[in-house]
Amino acid sequence: MPDAVKVGFVPFSAAPRGILVVFCDETLKFGRAASKALGASAAVVKRASATNRFKGKSAATLDILAPEGLKVDRLIVVGVGKASALKDSDFLKFGGVLAGKIRGDGGAVTVIAELPSAAISPDQSASLASGMRLRAYKFDRYKTKKKDGDDTAALHADVSIAVADVAAAKKAFAPANHVVEGVIIARDLVNEPPNVLYPEEFARRASRLRTAGVRIDVLDVKAMTRLGMGALLGVGQGSTRPSRTVVMRWNGGRKGEPPVAFVGKGVCFDTGGISIKPASNMEEMKGDMGGAACVVGLMHALATRKAKVNVVGAIGLVENMPDGNAQRPGDIVTSMSGQTIEVINTDAEGRLVLADVLWYVAKKFKPKIMVDLATLTGAIMVALGTEHAGLFSNNDQLSERLTKVGLETGERVWRMPLAPEYDKLIDSQFADMKNIGGRFGGSITAAQFLQRFVDNTPWAHLDIAGTAMGAAKSDINQSWGSGFGVRLLDRLVAEYYEARR
């Protein structure tokens, strides 16, 4: 899909084109370069601000068409609020807000990246550009006709961000842009229809990462049977689409250094199996592979920005269908770990998929840490809505790091409890465990189940059911699939696990 917005960097001295964008604080003050570009038109801004009650609050905008005294078509003023309190993540939001103001064929746009007191830093300029690209994303490849008024934010806009140091801004944006590409890959995967994106096709798309230097191994049904992945294979046995596990490896760190590992649930469509879901909104279950989509997008980001770390990404890909060969409530399966599982509800299938992939990664690669992502339970949405992902962990340090980078990126997580007392809820009288507990604590018992398959590896489970698909639209995302987790985990790797050279 072609970029909706192309972003480049120019010096402050560049002449504005098309739409001019400037920033002001809560006192309606502009920086030196912005004031110079506005000239006598600053008086027009003051009059328009009074008329529109614009006070420069954070992310508020003032839009002036054909501004008097300026050779531009539009002038957009973006408020930043109290400039001294700004964080880099605020500029990501400002970029999204700005992209949302540019409709249809945006043409040329010039953004003067300057606050009243100083130029916007290279990292902040990169966040601004990233926010514009993320907001401009739209998944419409299957539409053959465009309805009137159905404009894409910043469609085909050519954006020039005027900065104090062009070279520094380009250097900062290069890795950030790769992360944006990873988010877009994850969004595309989640948004695809299930007749197009099934396990084999998902594996093929993940395999494209070979061009970025990622080593790819695809395990088919025969290979997984030899490994004893009975939990994963049981989920997929009712589908005519055979299951797959994809293992991706990026070796950017020191040779022999243990990797960090990320595991994603990839249920390409979930009917619930024999324990079938209600028909209402079942079409949304095409997004039950949001965790796997994030892992693929993350691996793209890490490989293309040449992250100095060894990483393993693994995804279990299945369809959960109610065929005559489908798994039944009451079946007992043997996982790769040797532990047996009584299947009480075939709609609690994601944890069965993750159980075998987590065990495989923990035993084969012995990672420093392991994080899994899964659209696992509706219960997490009851607890946290769509604003936070649920975080469960056996390691306080890893949990604290994820919480910190969640706040930095805006992809927020909230730690939930794990405790031995919850284990009795998944005890089975016929097997080592059952795959679902009672009515209470559904997200917790799911995490307790997963914890039995990580051995002693420092591990975190992110339940992203409320954040990966169908979440409320935001300043940087207007899509049904959000790509949640790519930016969060890229920052985690960058801040804590990349080898310093």
Side-chain angles (χ1 to χ4, degrees):
M1 187 177 294
D3 282 349
V5 56
K6 295 181 180 178
V7 180
F9 297 92
V10 297
F12 281 143
S13 58
R17 301 179 300 134
I19 299 172
L20 174 62
V21 180
V22 295
F23 295 91
C24 73
D25 65 8
E26 58 189 356
T27 66
L28 302 185
K29 287 184 179 179
F30 300 99
R32 185 178 301 176
S35 296
K36 184 177 180 181
L38 291 173
S41 297
V44 176
V45 175
K46 286 192 176 182
R47 291 199 303 273
S49 297
T51 302
N52 291 276
R53 297 181 180 179
F54 174 76
K55 301 182 183 296
K57 291 183 179 179
S58 179
T61 59
L62 177 66
D63 195 349
I64 303 173
L65 299 177
E68 184 180 351
L70 287 176
K71 295 180 180 179
V72 294
D73 300 324
R74 290 168 65 190
L75 172 63
I76 299 175
V77 182
V78 180
V80 301
K82 191 173 183 179
S84 61
L86 290 173
K87 307 182 293 293
D88 285 357
S89 59
D90 290 319
F91 291 89
L92 190 79
K93 177 178 70 173
F94 296 152
V97 168
L98 174 55
K101 292 294 294 182
I102 304 167
R103 301 294 179 185
D105 246 344
V109 181
T110 300
V111 182
I112 298 180
E114 184 187 43
L115 299 174
S117 59
I120 290 173
S121 73
D123 285 340
Q124 291 166 344
S125 297
S127 292
L128 186 69
S130 296
M132 294 192 73
R133 284 204 64 199
L134 289 170
R135 174 62 180 266
Y137 172 86
K138 188 174 184 180
F139 189 85
D140 59 0
R141 66 183 53 166
Y142 296 105
K143 288 191 174 185
T144 60
K145 295 179 182 178
K146 184 179 178 182
K147 296 179 181 178
D148 292 341
D150 185 20
D151 293 331
T152 300
L155 182 63
H156 304 310
D158 183 5
V159 180
S160 299
I161 299 180
V163 295
D165 188 334
V166 173
K170 287 182 177 178
K171 183 178 180 180
F173 184 52
N177 198 35
H178 291 309
V179 177
V180 169
E181 290 168 355
V183 175
I184 290 173
I185 287 170
R187 288 179 180 177
D188 278 350
L189 290 168
V190 172
N191 286 325
E192 283 283 12
N195 60 317
V196 172
L197 192 71
Y198 44 90
E200 289 171 293
E201 174 60 20
F202 200 130
R204 280 192 286 270
R205 296 198 187 189
S207 296
R208 293 174 183 172
L209 292 177
R210 287 191 179 103
T211 61
V214 178
R215 178 175 172 179
I216 306 289
D217 294 308
V218 179
L219 306 179
D220 60 13
V221 171
K222 194 174 290 186
M224 289 186 284
T225 301
R226 285 197 300 268
L227 288 167
M229 291 185 169
L232 184 154
L233 290 170
V235 176
Q237 72 187 40
S239 174
T240 58
R241 308 282 198 181
S243 302
R244 295 287 184 267
T245 290
V246 182
V247 181
M248 299 158 279
R249 283 183 275 175
W250 166 252
N251 295 317
R254 298 181 180 91
K255 187 176 181 179
E257 185 178 30
V260 295
F262 302 98
V263 175
K265 170 189 170 184
V267 180
C268 297
F269 193 76
D270 181 20
T271 66
I274 298 299
S275 308
I276 197 164
K277 295 176 181 291
S280 179
N281 299 321
M282 193 193 285
E283 71 279 1
E284 294 186 354
M285 288 300 97
K286 70 175 188 176
D288 207 17
M289 30 58 70
C294 169
V295 173
V296 173
L298 174 65
M299 295 300 293
H300 170 90
L302 295 172
T304 52
R305 73 171 180 80
K306 307 298 182 188
K308 298 180 177 65
V309 62
N310 297 329
V311 186
V312 172
I315 53 178
L317 305 172
V318 301
E319 273 191 345
N320 188 22
M321 303 294 283
D323 180 80
N325 192 47
Q327 187 166 250
R328 295 159 294 263
D331 283 1
I332 293 178
V333 297
T334 302
S335 69
M336 184 182 174
S337 70
Q339 298 175 90
T340 56
I341 305 161
E342 182 187 7
V343 179
I344 300 298
N345 187 320
T346 64
D347 195 24
E349 84 299 329
R351 64 202 70 182
L352 299 175
V353 174
L354 288 171
D356 280 339
V357 182
L358 285 167
W359 186 265
Y360 176 84
V361 171
K363 290 301 182 181
K364 184 175 179 64
F365 299 105
K366 297 179 173 49
K368 294 178 182 178
I369 57 116
M370 186 163 57
V371 179
D372 78 73
L373 302 96
T375 50
L376 206 64
T377 67
I380 202 66
M381 298 175 67
V382 175
L384 300 177
T386 61
E387 301 303 321
H388 290 74
L391 164 63
F392 301 81
S393 183
N394 63 4
N395 185 277
D396 289 341
Q397 185 182 59
L398 176 57
S399 180
E400 289 165 5
R401 289 173 174 179
L402 280 164
T403 300
K404 177 177 178 291
V405 297
L407 293 172
E408 291 171 355
T409 60
E411 294 195 329
R412 295 173 294 176
V413 300
W414 191 266
R415 192 173 188 184
M416 304 287 283
L418 288 172
E421 290 78 11
Y422 293 105
D423 278 325
K424 65 187 177 197
L425 298 176
I426 55 173
D427 284 343
S428 165
Q429 61 177 319
F430 302 113
D432 295 327
M433 70 196 83
K434 55 187 178 181
N435 74 324
I436 195 167
R439 179 182 175 190
F440 302 116
S443 297
I444 300 171
T445 53
Q448 292 286 152
F449 180 96
L450 294 179
Q451 187 175 216
R452 299 185 181 198
F453 299 91
V454 302
D455 204 17
N456 295 316
T457 307
W459 157 80
H461 160 58
L462 299 180
D463 193 333
I464 59 174
T467 56
M469 57 176 177
K473 292 181 179 179
S474 71
D475 291 322
I476 61 170
N477 180 47
Q478 298 289 296
S479 167
W480 184 77
S482 69
F484 181 95
V486 175
R487 295 187 300 108
L488 171 80
L489 297 179
D490 179 84
R491 181 69 68 90
L492 176 76
V493 170
E495 289 196 10
Y496 296 107
Y497 299 108
E498 286 194 52
R500 305 300 177 187
R501 292 180 179 176

